[in-house]
């Protein structure tokens, strides 16, 4: 099986990954996939749903194997129902991998072509999470101690994952700029070059298919 072409949307809780991911997911050729959203869509009455609640309400990560297995099923499902077309689209992966083990488990499934790293100071992100708690009613944003725990987990386990990828893939973007400027930087620095590359390559392989896919 060939690996999914993937762009990682990387950053601490509160860095704005979800906001940007949702917008980019509306652009043809990019499939936004957020592990947090997938977990939150689970029925809390099911075993998996309960396990998610148990970990996330403490600010902890869901166990790695479980997370990767759930995500693989999810993306295969989208492929089966024709909502994701790996031959012409990128996955914009938001919230994964979150540690070295997850990276390892994903290496034979995803082919990472670019990494968008949204950066801001910790205080700024904590402030955003506090505001989000009021707006979105998320139990994992509800207390400062859980928020701080998540920021610690990011610093200790997730941030170092960046060192495991070729450094030329990483695009550092200032997450304190306006949303539209962040979007503009992501589009021009990362998405346009990757998408045009993919389309050009496909054109060379099969001009008719590429033309149909490109509209
Ligand atoms: P945030 O980026 O604000 O932490 P997410 O929506 O990405 O929010 O994640 C919410 C929670 O879902 C996490 O705190 C964690 O418990 C769980 N989660 C999401 N992605 C993963 C993952 N890749 N591995 C393990 N747990 C995850």
């Amino acid at each position: 099986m060939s690996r999914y072409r993937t762009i990682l949307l990387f950053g601490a809780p509160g860095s704005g990954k979800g906001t940007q991911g949702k917008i980019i997911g509306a652009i043809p050729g990019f499939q936004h996939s957020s592990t947090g959203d997938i977990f939150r869509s689970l029925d809390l009455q099911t075993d998996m749903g309960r396990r998610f609640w148990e970990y996330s309400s403490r600010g902890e990560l869901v166990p790695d194997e479980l997370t990767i297995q759930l995500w693989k099923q999810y993306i295969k499902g989208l492929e089966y129902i024709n909502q994701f077309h790996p031959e012409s689209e990128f996955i914009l992966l938001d919230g994964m991998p979150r540690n070295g083990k997850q990276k390892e488990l994903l290496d034979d499934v995803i082919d990472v072509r670019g990494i968008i790293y949204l950066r801001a100071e910790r205080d700024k992100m904590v402030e955003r999470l506090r505001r989000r708690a009021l707006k979105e009613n998320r139990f994992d944003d509800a207390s400062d101690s859980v928020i701080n725990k998540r920021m610690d987990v990011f610093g200790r386990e997730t941030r170092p994952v960046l060192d495991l990828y070729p450094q030329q893939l990483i695009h550092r973007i200032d997450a304190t700029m306006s949303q539209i400027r962040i979007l503009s930087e992501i589009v021009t620095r990362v998405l346009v070059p990757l998408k045009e590359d993919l389309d050009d390559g496909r054109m060379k392989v099969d001009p008719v298919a590429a033309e149909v896919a490109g509209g």
Side-chain angles (χ1 to χ4, degrees), residues 11-18 34-40 51-64 66-68 71 94-99 102 106 129 132 138-141 146 150-151 153-154:
S15 59
K17 303 184 299 287
S34 149
T35 48
D37 287 349
I38 297 170
F39 279 132
R40 276 184 291 279
R51 295 192 72 178
F52 162 65
W53 188 84
E54 187 190 314
Y55 289 100
S56 63
S57 61
R58 293 197 298 251
E60 292 171 10
L61 298 180
V62 179
D64 301 326
L66 210 64
T67 301
I68 304 293
W71 182 77
D94 166 354
M96 200 171 72
R98 258 167 143 104
N99 58 31
Q102 291 188 8
L106 282 171
L129 292 175
R132 183 168 77 183
R138 269 179 58 167
F139 53 76
D140 55 345
D141 289 338
V146 177
R150 276 158 62 212
M151 298 307 264
V153 170
F154 177 81

Side-chain angles (χ1 to χ4, degrees), residues 66-138:
L66 210 64
T67 301
I68 304 293
Q69 193 193 351
L70 178 75
W71 182 77
K72 281 195 205 167
Q73 283 173 8
Y74 175 86
I75 203 81
K76 268 270 160 258
L78 286 185
E79 221 181 312
Y80 284 139
I81 61 171
N82 216 15
Q83 294 211 353
F84 167 52
H85 311 97
E87 67 292 343
S88 60
E89 294 177 2
F90 288 92
I91 294 175
L92 183 69
L93 189 55
D94 166 354
M96 200 171 72
R98 258 167 143 104
N99 58 31
K101 177 72 188 168
Q102 291 188 8
K103 185 216 174 254
E104 205 182 293
L105 290 169
L106 282 171
D107 273 344
D108 60 349
V109 188
I110 62 172
D111 172 13
V112 176
R113 301 289 180 92
I115 301 174
I116 299 161
Y117 177 21
L118 296 176
R119 300 163 79 207
E121 284 182 1
R122 180 170 170 146
D123 290 354
K124 199 132 208 153
M125 295 187 281
V126 168
E127 204 35 62
R128 286 185 185 170
L129 292 175
R130 287 194 186 122
R131 280 205 302 271
R132 183 168 77 183
L134 300 174
K135 250 181 35 202
E136 293 180 18
N137 203 17
R138 269 179 58 167

